[in-house]
Amino acid sequence: MKRSISVLLSLATLAAAPLAAEAAEEGRFDAQTFRPSAAPRDLVMIQKSEVIGHLSPTFGIYTDIGLDPLAVAAITTGQEIRAVGARLQVTGLAGIGFFDIFDVTMAMPFVAWQMSDNLRPLGTEGEIAPNALGDLRFNTKIAIPYLNRKAQIKEGFGMALTGNLNLPTGDQNAFAGDGAVSGGMGLVADYRFNFGLLVTANGGIWFRPDRQFAGTKVGDMANFGIGAEMYVVQRWGWSVLGGVYGSVSLVKFPDSPSQVPAEALMAMRWQWASGFSLTVGGTFGANCGFGAPVFRAFAGLTWQPSKSREQQEIDRLKQIDSEDPDHDGLIGEADRCPELPGVPQNMGCPDSDSDADGVPDREDKCPMTAGGRGGCPGAFIKGDEIKILDPVHFATDKDIILDDSKSVLDAVVTVLINNPEIRSVEIEGHTDVRASDVYNINLSQRRVDSVRAYLIQKGIDPSRITAKGYGHSKPVYDDSGCLGKDEELSEDCKFMTATNRRVVFRIKGHGSAPGRAVGGGDTVLSPRDSALDNGSVLDNNGVLNGASTLPSAGTLPKSSGVLEPRKGTLPGSTLDRSGAQPTPEAPDGTDKPAEGTDKPVDGKDKPGAKAPEAAPSSPKPGTPRQPTAPR
C-alpha cells in the first residue's frame, strides 16, 4: 500500500489561508506515532483503566520497525520523497503504581536506524541522520473513584484519566523530536467480562507545537483508540490483542474518514509467573497522513518482581473459576480457606477481629482490647506499665492538666477499674533538661500530684496509687544540648525534649481486691481470710469450727450451723452503729438478762440474779456432744 501526502498548494488555497500558513513555523517534527505504554497490562498503544499495582516497579523494552512512516511530495515536480523511508526504534520503559489508584511511567525512545531519500528536492541536501535520540515521555494514569476495578479486577466497568508530558530531548532534524515541550490528556473507559474478555476505548488530545515541512502541517492532534483482549488459554496467560488507533490533526481536519491516519493492530501476549510478559505483533497503516506506516512489526518484553502486587493481579487474571471458587485471587497452597474469600496477607482466609474494633488482628497492636488508633485504646496494660497513646499535657511550667489530656487520664481510670488486681501503681513524672535539677524535681512532683488527685477524684482508691517526680534524672534521649526556647530548638531537639517530658504509670504490685464490709460495717474479711477476731474459723461452707454461738451470744439456727445464702448477718449478732450489743429477747417476750452475762464489778450477785451455770458433764458414750458458747 503506497501513500503520499499531496503538498501542491494552489494560489487560491494560499490566498484563502494566509494566516494559517504564517502561524506554522517552518521546521521538522517527530514523525513517530507508535508510543507503547509501559504498563504491562495495557494493549500496547491502547490503555486500560487498570493501573500498575501498588509499589510494583515495572521495566520493559519495545522495539519496532516501520516502513514508509513519512512520505511527502515535492512542490515543484510532484515527485514522492520518502522523508523517512524506514525506521527501527527501541524504547526503554519504566513505571510504578501507588495505592492501586494511580501510576507514573516513563519512556525513552532511541532511533537505532533509519533511512531516507535525498531531501534535495525539499530544499535540504542529503539524507537524515541514521540514528537519533527521541523525546523523553512521562505519563500518568489515575483511576476514577467508584469506577476503579481494583477490588473486582476480573469483572466490571472501569474508567481512568490519563496525562502525559514530553520533553524536547530528541533530534528534531532527524524527525525524532518536536523541538519543544508538548503533552496531553485523555480518558479511558473499559469493561472486563468474567470469561476473559476485555474491551476498551481511549480518547484524548495531544498538544503539539505548530510545524510545517514541505507543505505538511503538524500541530495539535486528537488521539483515539479502540481495542480488545481475549484469553486463549487463561491458565497459561496466553491472550490475543487487537484494535485500531490513530491521531487526527486539529490544524487541518481531514476532508473524509478515509483520510484519518490510523493503524490496525494485532498481537499475541504470553504472561509468566516469573513476572515476564512478551508481546509480539504488527500494525497496518491507512493510506493517508504521516506517521502511519505501510506496515509495522513490533515486539515488547516487560518485567515486574514475581512477588509484586502487579504480578498478583496478573496471576488473578490467569486463574479460571474452577481453580479459585472463592474468587479471592489465590489458589492451591496459597489459599488456606479455598471456600471463603480472603486476602494474601492472611493466606487467603478472611480477616479476624477478636476485639471487634474494626481493625483486623494482623494489623491490630492490641488484638484482644478494642481501641481506636492502631487498634489500641487510649490506655492499655503492657508489661509492668499502663501505656498511654497520647502524652499528658500541662500548662507551661505549671501543674495544671490541660483539658485535651483529661480523656487520656480517663482511659487510665478505666484500666484501673477493670483490673482491680492491680494494687499498686506509681505515677512517674519526668521533665526535659531546660531548668535546674531542684526546679525540675519540684515541677515533676507537683504535676504527678495533680494526676494522682485527678484519678482519686474519678473514684480510684488512694491506697492504690502513689506519685513521684524524677525531674530530669531518667531521660529517654540525651537532650543536654537542647537549651533555649521551643521556637529556637532544632527539629531533633524538639522531638527529644517532648519525649523526655512524660508521665509514666508504673505497675508496682498485684493482689486480690479487698472484700466488702458485711451490713455496711467497717470490719472486712479478705476473700481468702476465714478467721474471726476471736480465733474461730469458718470453713469453706461458712461453718464455725467446734461451736455455733458467736461472742455476741447470737445463736446459729438449729439446722446445721450454716449461714443462709446471700444473708450478711447472723440472728441476734448484729451490732448497731454505736457498737453497743442489744439485749436478746426472752422467749416469753419479757426482758431478762441473757445467759452468761458477767457479774457486777463489786463481785456480788444482784438480787434475783441466776447462779452461775455449772460446767457441763462429760457425755455418755455414744451421745453427741452439745455445742457450747466459747468462753
Side-chain angles (χ1 to χ4, degrees), residues 97-157:
F98 298 95
F99 311 108
D100 295 323
I101 296 176
F102 73 96
D103 60 31
V104 177
T105 62
M106 64 166 292
M108 185 71 248
F110 174 72
V111 178
W113 170 84
Q114 65 181 356
M115 58 160 292
S116 71
D117 292 335
N118 192 318
L119 303 184
R120 180 186 299 172
L122 302 178
T124 303
E125 181 65 32
E127 300 179 357
I128 59 176
N131 46 61
L133 196 65
D135 285 346
L136 177 63
R137 306 193 302 268
F138 291 95
N139 301 271
T140 186
K141 185 193 300 180
I142 306 171
I144 297 177
Y146 306 107
L147 296 174
N148 187 355
R149 202 167 47 237
K150 67 176 182 178
Q152 211 172 7
I153 193 170
K154 296 183 71 172
E155 183 179 8
F157 180 74

Side-chain angles (χ1 to χ4, degrees), residues 203-206 219-224 246-250 253:
I205 187 171
W206 180 6
D220 295 343
M221 308 185 80
N223 300 326
F224 66 91
S247 301
V248 180
S249 174
L250 299 180
F253 203 76

